Amino acid sequence: MAPLTLASPAFDNGDRIPAEYGYTNDNVNPPLEIDGVPDDAEALALVVDDPDARAPAGKIWDHWVVWNVPPATTTIPEDWHPTEATEGTNDYGEHGYGGPNPPDREHTYRFELYALDASLDLGSDAGADELRSSMNGHVLEQTHLEGTYPA
């Protein structure tokens, strides 16, 4: 079986994320394509973060936290508002996607996808730390996609 992969038709791995996906622009998530989900996966989880925010924000900034995505999902459309998955709280203090908004320079953003052997019992007020803690011991495979966004 093929490994778990995550791609976007909007940008290639390592390339620039188009401006419309930024927080101060359209602030909608880019479309994503998922392949190679293990047969025994019960759910998928997605975390989008900015490790380059450590200096200006004092932490890795979490932009999108989603879990209990059905494992049969192959496409996450642009401006997705899931009904079968749960979106947690991002570091803007909002539910759902909060796009790139680097305060100082170009940053690299990680879209991390996890295939899990269980659904997770978390409330929608949970953030990335709670998600990662609850995923502990349940990750079958993981992959990521990276993109940059100008300041």
Side-chain angles (χ1 to χ4, degrees), residues 23-124:
Y23 190 73
T24 59
N25 291 311
D26 294 345
N27 196 37
V28 296
N29 67 274
L32 300 170
E33 297 173 348
I34 300 167
D35 196 23
V37 174
D39 291 339
D40 52 348
E42 293 292 323
L44 302 173
L46 178 68
V47 176
V48 178
D49 66 17
D50 174 5
D52 292 334
R54 282 186 188 108
K59 64 182 284 294
I60 294 174
W61 192 267
D62 299 316
H63 287 264
W64 199 18
V65 184
V66 187
W67 61 90
N68 292 343
V69 177
T73 302
T74 58
T75 301
I76 293 176
E78 181 177 278
D79 197 20
W80 184 51
H81 299 281
T83 56
E84 296 179 340
T86 303
E87 291 180 292
T89 304
N90 61 37
D91 280 336
Y92 293 113
E94 302 166 353
H95 284 85
Y97 177 82
N101 191 22
D104 56 350
R105 61 178 173 81
E106 181 178 275
H107 285 205
T108 297
Y109 295 83
R110 298 183 298 200
F111 292 70
E112 300 173 317
L113 179 68
Y114 303 88
L116 308 175
D117 67 2
S119 293
L120 304 176
D121 186 21
L122 289 170
S124 63

